[in-house]
Amino acid sequence: MKALSQWKGKIIGGLIGLLLRRPVFILLGVVIGHLYDKGAFSGKRKPDTLPTGDTADPYIVLDVAEGADMEAIDAAYRRRMSEYHPDKVANAAPEIKELAERRARDINAAYEEIRKRRQQP
């Protein structure tokens, strides 16, 4: 069902374009549908920053639901580390390196906190 929701806007936009019987409207409908699917019109954009500090909820840092199983948490951890790993910005400005290192520390701390919570009886 989730896979269909990712295509819903594109399908509807393409169908509207087909109804207008012009190839340019088909293309325009698919592009607008793509923007709809990505949430460009909802006003609810995903923040580009991670919560930081000791008070940050580890589930929010990893962008995973509290009820997720460990397999999903492991995948979220790997995804986040691939986004913010300091080695990806090794040749960047010092400020960017420092930011990547801080985020990587926050991600590692969040992952360890979740693992610690899950191991307690």
Side-chain angles (χ1 to χ4, degrees), residues 10-24:
K10 295 173 200 68
I11 292 170
I12 292 171
L15 289 174
I16 291 171
L18 276 173
L19 289 174
L20 296 173
R21 297 182 182 179
R22 301 271 173 120
V24 72

Side-chain angles (χ1 to χ4, degrees), residues 64-79:
V64 68
E66 282 192 48
D69 61 353
M70 275 311 288
E71 188 174 305
I73 292 170
D74 290 339
Y77 168 74
R78 286 190 300 273
R79 182 182 69 248

Side-chain angles (χ1 to χ4, degrees), residues 1 3 5 16 19 21 32 36 41 46 57 62 68 74 77-78 90 92 95 102 104-105 112 120-121:
M1 193 63 174
S5 68
I16 291 171
L19 289 174
R21 297 182 182 179
I32 291 172
Y36 172 79
F41 304 117
K46 193 173 187 177
D57 182 11
L62 291 182
D74 290 339
Y77 168 74
R78 286 190 300 273
E95 299 86 20
R102 185 173 55 228
R105 278 193 306 271
E112 290 303 318
Q120 292 179 352

Side-chain angles (χ1 to χ4, degrees), residues 9-59:
K10 295 173 200 68
I11 292 170
I12 292 171
L15 289 174
I16 291 171
L18 276 173
L19 289 174
L20 296 173
R21 297 182 182 179
R22 301 271 173 120
V24 72
F25 289 137
I26 295 171
L27 180 63
L28 184 63
V30 171
V31 168
I32 291 172
H34 175 73
L35 291 172
Y36 172 79
D37 290 340
K38 292 297 178 183
F41 304 117
S42 69
K44 298 176 185 172
R45 303 208 53 125
K46 193 173 187 177
D48 292 334
T49 60
L50 284 174
T52 58
D54 295 334
T55 60
D57 182 11
Y59 294 99

